[in-house]
Amino acid sequence: MILSLPVLTLSLFLLKPAEAYSRQSSLRPTAEEVIAEVNALRSANNLPVYQVNSILMVIAQTQADYIAGKGVITHFGADGSRPYQRAIAAGYAVAGDLTFGGFFSENIHGGADLSPAEVVNIWKSDADHLKTMLSPDLKDVGAGVVVQSGLTYYVLDVGTSAENTMSIPVTSATPTIFASSPSTPLEDGTVYHIVQPNEALWSIALAYNLTIEELKKMNGLSSNNIFIGQKLLISKPDLSTATLEPTITVTSGIPASNPTRPITPPATLTPTPLPTPPASRQSGGIIVGGIVVIALLAASLGAWLGRKKHINIDGVN
C-alpha cells in the first residue's frame, strides 16, 4: 500500500500535462473549422457549399503565416502580390477579368482568442466580407489559421477557376479589391485618403491619377502594404509656386484704371545779375564835363585860399 502511493503520484504527474495539452489543442482552431462555419452560413442561405481546394489551402496558410510573422493585417503577400496573383502563381487558373482581380476574393482578420465561429460573425458584419462568403459565383475555398503570441490570424481564400466559368455570368464578377473613391480636399488644399476595406495601393493611386511609386514616396512607404484606417497623404499645396494676386489701392475720386502720376516740383530759380551796359557817349561827356568843373572849382578855391593867406601874412609884417 505504501509502495503504490509514489506510483499513483507519478501517474497523476504524467497525466496532468497530457490533459492540459489535449485541452489546449482542442481550443486551437483549424482551417477545416473555418471552412465548416462558412459552409454552414452558405447552407443557411440556400447556397451550395464551397469545395475545398488544395492550392487555395496552401496559399491561404502561407498568407496567414506571413501576417502572423509581421503582426499586420494585409492582403498583400511578402513579395507585394495580391490574392489572385498568389493563386495564379501557385497553379490555380483564376477565371474572369484579372484587371479587377478576377473571380477571386479574400477575407482576413486577427484578434485575441478568436474562434472560427467568432471570426465568421465578424466577417458577416461587413458587406464586402459577407460577399466573399455568400458569393453565388465563387466555387472553391481554402483557409489558413495561425495562433501566435495570444493572437489568432485567419485567412479565407475563395475563387473560381477557368474550368468553371461556363456557368458564371460575365457581369457578376466579384473583385477582390474594389475601386477607391477620391477624398475631399481640406481648407488649405491638402488631400488625405483613409484606407478602406479591400483597397490596395494601386486602386488608391488610380483614383487620384498618381503612380504607386509617387504614392509610396509621399508617405515614406517601403512596400505596397497598407492597412485599414491608415491615413495616406495624396497631395499638398505648393506655397513656393503660388501666384499672389496684385493689390490695387484705389483713391477716392480717382478711377482705378488711371494711376495718378507724381508731380515733380519746379526747380528754384536763382536770378543771374545782368551786366551793366556800357555808358553812351552822351552820358560819358557829361561825366567828363562834371569832372572838369569840379577840378576848376577846386583850383579856384585853392587859389583863393592861397591869396588870403598871403594878405594876412603881409599885414602882420
Side-chain angles (χ1 to χ4, degrees):
M1 188 72 177
I2 298 176
L3 293 175
S4 63
L5 183 59
V7 176
L8 179 60
T9 305
L10 180 60
S11 299
L12 293 174
F13 178 76
L14 294 174
L15 287 173
K16 187 175 182 179
E19 292 174 358
Y21 177 78
S22 177
R23 191 182 304 112
Q24 182 181 3
S25 62
S26 65
L27 295 176
R28 185 177 292 271
T30 64
E32 289 75 14
E33 291 174 330
V34 178
I35 295 173
E37 290 289 341
V38 172
N39 278 335
L41 178 64
R42 290 181 65 80
S43 296
N45 285 271
N46 300 318
L47 292 170
V49 298
Y50 285 143
Q51 300 300 312
V52 176
N53 182 276
S54 59
I55 295 178
L56 300 189
M57 291 292 286
V58 171
I59 66 170
Q61 187 60 50
T62 301
Q63 184 68 3
D65 292 336
Y66 171 66
I67 64 177
K70 297 287 289 185
V72 297
I73 302 298
T74 175
H75 287 289
F76 290 95
D79 58 353
S81 60
R82 296 192 285 275
Y84 81 94
Q85 293 173 327
R86 294 193 294 273
I88 293 173
Y92 184 84
V94 178
D97 187 354
L98 298 182
T99 304
F100 298 100
F103 290 102
F104 204 88
S105 189
E106 181 178 78
N107 285 358
I108 55 176
H109 195 75
D113 300 325
L114 280 176
S115 68
E118 289 171 335
V119 77
V120 168
N121 282 331
I122 292 173
W123 286 335
K124 284 168 60 177
S125 64
D126 179 77
D128 294 331
H129 290 96
L130 185 61
K131 287 180 182 178
T132 301
M133 298 187 292
L134 297 182
S135 172
D137 303 327
L138 305 180
K139 308 295 181 183
D140 303 319
V141 68
V145 182
V146 173
V147 178
Q148 182 170 301
S149 302
L151 298 176
T152 307
Y153 298 88
Y154 291 93
V155 176
L156 181 75
D157 283 327
V158 187
T160 295
S161 67
E163 300 172 358
N164 300 321
T165 56
M166 297 301 294
S167 60
I168 301 177
V170 176
T171 58
S172 62
T174 305
T176 303
I177 301 173
F178 299 88
S180 301
S181 300
S183 299
T184 303
L186 301 179
E187 291 184 1
D188 64 352
T190 304
V191 178
Y192 289 101
H193 183 86
I194 306 300
V195 178
Q196 303 301 314
N198 294 317
E199 285 188 327
L201 207 60
W202 69 266
S203 65
I204 297 173
L206 185 64
Y208 294 97
N209 197 27
L210 297 171
T211 65
I212 293 178
E213 291 304 317
E214 288 173 338
L215 199 54
K216 289 170 66 176
K217 184 177 180 181
M218 282 191 291
N219 291 276
L221 301 177
S222 58
S223 69
N224 291 335
N225 295 336
I226 53 176
F227 318 108
I228 297 173
Q230 185 174 357
K231 186 177 182 180
L232 297 177
L233 173 64
I234 302 301
S235 65
K236 201 169 186 179
D238 187 359
L239 299 179
S240 61
T241 59
T243 303
L244 299 179
E245 295 184 0
T247 301
I248 301 176
T249 302
V250 180
T251 304
S252 178
I254 301 178
S257 59
N258 296 327
T260 304
R261 296 182 180 180
I263 300 175
T264 304
T268 302
L269 300 179
T270 303
T272 303
L274 297 177
T276 304
S280 62
R281 292 180 180 179
Q282 182 178 359
S283 58
I286 295 174
I287 293 172
V288 173
I291 293 172
V292 172
V293 170
I294 293 171
L296 291 175
L297 289 175
S300 299
L301 179 60
W304 178 79
L305 290 174
R307 188 168 48 256
K308 182 177 180 181
K309 184 179 179 182
H310 180 74
I311 294 173
N312 290 336
I313 292 174
D314 290 343
V316 173
N317 291 332

